Amino acid sequence: MAKKTLNVGLIGYGMIGKVHAYATAVLPWYAPELDVVGKIKAVATSRMETASAAREQIGCAEAYDDYRKIIDDPEIDVVDVCVPNAEHFKILTDAIKAKKHIYCEKPIVAGVSEASALAKEMRYSGYAQANIVAFHLRGFAALRRAKELIDGGNLGQLVQYRVAYRHSSMLDPTTPWRWKNSASGGVILDLASHLFDLVLWLVGAPATLIAQSTIRAPFRPTRPLRPGELISDVPSQRVQSEDSILVMTRGLSDPPRLISRRPCPKIMEYRDFTGTDPDSMPITVDDPKKSAAIVGIVEATKLAAGAEDELTLEIDGTRGSLRFSLMDPHYLEFFDATLPSGTYGGESGWTKIACGARYPSPESGFPSPKSTTGWLRAHIAALVSFYRGIADGRVYGPDFKQAIEVQNVLNAVQTSAITNRYAWLKES
Ligand SMILES: NC(=O)c1ccc[n+]([C@@H]2O[C@H](COP(=O)([O-])OP(=O)(O)OC[C@H]3O[C@@H](n4cnc5c(N)ncnc54)[C@H](O)[C@@H]3O)[C@@H](O)[C@H]2O)c1
């Protein structure tokens, strides 16, 4: 069947807009079985100069400094929203009215009043097009595997969780918050939005929570300092955005799902005894009457010295535990508490599940199921070395001379393997 290609209007071409443009372009390789794909027809930013540069980089037809031109274009099927949080609401409202499919960056809007107004708009206009928020962490194979294990009852009743998202980007008090210095910025919307999306997806929304936040520097410059400039040389503004947030949660606001699974005699857990067959008795992830027993800690900070993009997740249940780190995303760690311990440890211990790029159709394991996240990045760097060499008339990578040296060593290895003798490499 021929693929259907939808026209995409990309709004915003900053850090994440470029990522969306790249993802749209490479989709045919990652998901060759998809029946519908997108192609960017137009891009809009806040200035014509940046919009034109974006059009050139993407290779699309149109560039605008007014997003409404994208909304008003009847040939645009999909609106992709990559603008600062405070700009989301009006663009989403217009796109909903125009009945476009919408792919939107997180958080969906900048506040709860905007969220309820958006929900109303969707109801009143009978909006029924595709709509997704790019909580992209759910895209990691390891976190999808975590969801499978939890939903399959492998962790039993959930007991506690601890999730953290740690950056170091605001540790320097001269770093400005840019557009994030407002109620629509800060780590709650920027980082904790990802964490709570994962908590709601994997565990469920908490029944109650208590939070503490900090603002390290009450004033920050409005722009980055130039070399030699002091903070007093640059206009400053009062900081409204929190640098860190610590949240303790308790309970679940919705009853947990029922899961059918063989009971484990080793572990005490709540069961619904209405069933007759003891082997297929339903157990719950948690007793609805006891859901207050689940506690969690959610931490987000931009003040963690040395932290790059360190999201960690630990979930403990009566039957086992899970651990995930975004700095090591190839793996999900799973401890199955039902396996017997014994002399020298028996069978008990952590399993490091190699999730890698093992996606089911219509996604694929491109570039290969075992490829580590970021493997493709090194190929891009290799290609850049090649083109940079053409441009500069220099050699930036392993050229043929170096590759032939490698080949000579390989030949020595082969010879040694065949002859079972030392192989001597000629001195050059
Ligand atoms: N999922 C993630 O991992 C992730 C990462 C970074 C940012 N984000 C989200 O993406 C969004 C954008 O963040 P960013 O870091 O790319 O911002 P940015 O400042 O780098 O870029 C913002 C872009 O939006 C454009 N813009 C601003 N107002 C506009 C308007 N009214 N109409 C048209 N264009 C407008 C700017 O010209 C610029 O091109 C935010 O919602 C942010 O939370 C998500």
Side-chain angles (χ1 to χ4, degrees):
M1 191 173 72
K3 277 188 198 303
K4 186 172 178 190
T5 302
L6 300 180
N7 286 322
V8 179
L10 178 62
I11 306 178
Y13 197 66
M15 183 259 160
I16 210 70
K18 296 180 181 77
V19 174
H20 286 217
Y22 173 80
T24 306
V26 300
L27 212 53
W29 284 272
Y30 281 94
E33 292 175 17
L34 266 186
D35 295 330
V36 179
V37 290
K39 187 168 192 303
I40 297 176
K41 179 183 181 231
V43 60
T45 69
S46 46
R47 287 185 297 125
M48 205 52 225
E49 189 191 345
T50 54
S52 301
R55 173 179 54 193
E56 196 177 323
Q57 193 168 51
I58 298 168
C60 64
E62 314 289 352
Y64 306 120
D65 60 0
D66 179 356
Y67 78 87
R68 286 180 196 85
K69 296 208 168 121
I70 283 182
I71 305 281
D72 291 343
D73 181 347
E75 287 182 6
I76 297 269
D77 309 292
V78 177
V79 171
D80 186 342
V81 181
C82 293
V83 294
N85 303 342
E87 305 292 312
H88 287 198
F89 177 71
K90 63 179 179 204
I91 297 176
L92 291 177
T93 308
D94 289 347
I96 288 167
K97 285 190 174 127
K99 301 264 187 299
K100 307 286 188 191
H101 301 297
I102 307 171
Y103 188 67
C104 177
E105 260 307 332
K106 48 55 63 175
I108 184 163
V109 284
V112 74
S113 55
E114 288 184 356
S116 57
L118 196 72
K120 256 187 216 149
E121 182 60 49
M122 289 172 80
R123 260 196 321 275
Y124 291 157
S125 61
Y127 179 72
Q129 307 302 97
N131 50 95
I132 288 281
V133 171
F135 282 116
H136 70 283
L137 293 161
R138 291 198 200 187
F140 281 99
L143 289 174
R144 292 184 181 178
R145 182 75 183 113
K147 171 92 174 137
E148 266 186 2
L149 287 169
I150 292 169
D151 288 356
N154 298 63
L155 265 65
Q157 295 162 26
L158 300 189
V159 173
Q160 58 195 10
Y161 57 88
R162 184 185 190 96
V163 288
Y165 208 164
R166 292 158 62 81
H167 283 189
S168 57
S169 51
M170 301 309 285
L171 188 59
D172 179 349
T174 69
T175 303
W177 265 106
R178 298 193 309 133
W179 59 260
K180 293 181 181 173
N181 185 29
S182 69
S184 68
V187 291
I188 298 177
L189 290 184
D190 207 26
L191 299 183
S193 57
H194 281 297
L195 296 177
F196 278 107
D197 173 62
L198 291 179
V199 167
L200 267 59
W201 183 51
L202 295 171
V203 179
T208 62
L209 59 83
I210 181 166
Q212 296 282 310
S213 67
T214 60
I215 293 179
R216 170 171 149 74
F219 291 91
R220 285 184 184 263
T222 49
R223 62 163 174 77
L225 269 55
R226 298 191 187 107
E229 269 184 342
L230 298 174
I231 194 162
S232 51
D233 298 334
V234 179
S236 65
Q237 59 182 177
R238 179 171 278 286
V239 172
Q240 297 176 48
S241 297
E242 67 291 331
D243 304 288
S244 293
I245 182 87
L246 193 56
V247 188
M248 285 198 292
T249 70
R250 187 168 187 85
L252 294 173
S253 55
D254 290 320
R257 296 157 296 237
L258 279 170
I259 289 166
S260 189
R261 206 195 125 119
R262 288 173 69 86
C264 172
K266 190 182 152 196
I267 291 165
M268 293 276 295
E269 50 196 357
Y270 167 82
R271 296 210 177 81
D272 179 347
F273 286 101
T274 52
T276 46
D277 174 5
D279 276 358
S280 60
M281 267 193 305
I283 61 163
T284 59
V285 173
D286 190 22
D287 176 356
K289 292 164 233 121
K290 290 189 194 159
S291 66
I294 297 181
V295 289
I297 292 184
V298 179
E299 179 199 357
T301 180
K302 295 203 175 192
L303 301 179
E308 292 267 4
D309 195 26
E310 298 190 8
L311 181 140
T312 50
L313 174 139
E314 295 163 86
I315 302 177
D316 305 316
T318 51
R319 286 171 180 243
S321 293
L322 292 176
R323 291 196 297 226
F324 171 79
S325 166
L326 190 52
M327 301 306 281
D328 193 11
H330 193 86
Y331 297 104
L332 176 71
E333 291 188 74
F334 172 50
F335 181 86
D336 186 344
T338 65
L339 292 178
S341 184
T343 313
Y344 309 127
E347 293 169 40
S348 106
W350 285 88
T351 304
K352 221 171 161 184
I353 305 170
C355 305
R358 293 178 172 85
Y359 294 95
S361 170
E363 284 185 77
S364 73
F366 180 82
S368 99
K370 68 176 184 342
S371 60
T372 54
T373 310
W375 186 85
L376 209 53
R377 183 66 185 82
H379 271 277
I380 291 166
L383 198 60
V384 169
S385 306
F386 172 68
Y387 284 109
R388 193 175 161 216
I390 294 175
D392 296 358
R394 296 179 62 178
V395 173
Y396 290 112
D399 64 0
F400 282 9
K401 184 169 171 282
Q402 294 174 52
I404 287 166
E405 281 167 11
V406 173
Q407 203 65 45
N408 288 338
V409 177
L410 298 180
N411 184 49
V413 171
Q414 282 172 332
T415 307
S416 171
I418 292 166
T419 60
N420 199 21
R421 288 169 185 267
Y422 286 105
W424 303 98
L425 288 159
K426 274 198 203 117
E427 282 177 24
S428 55

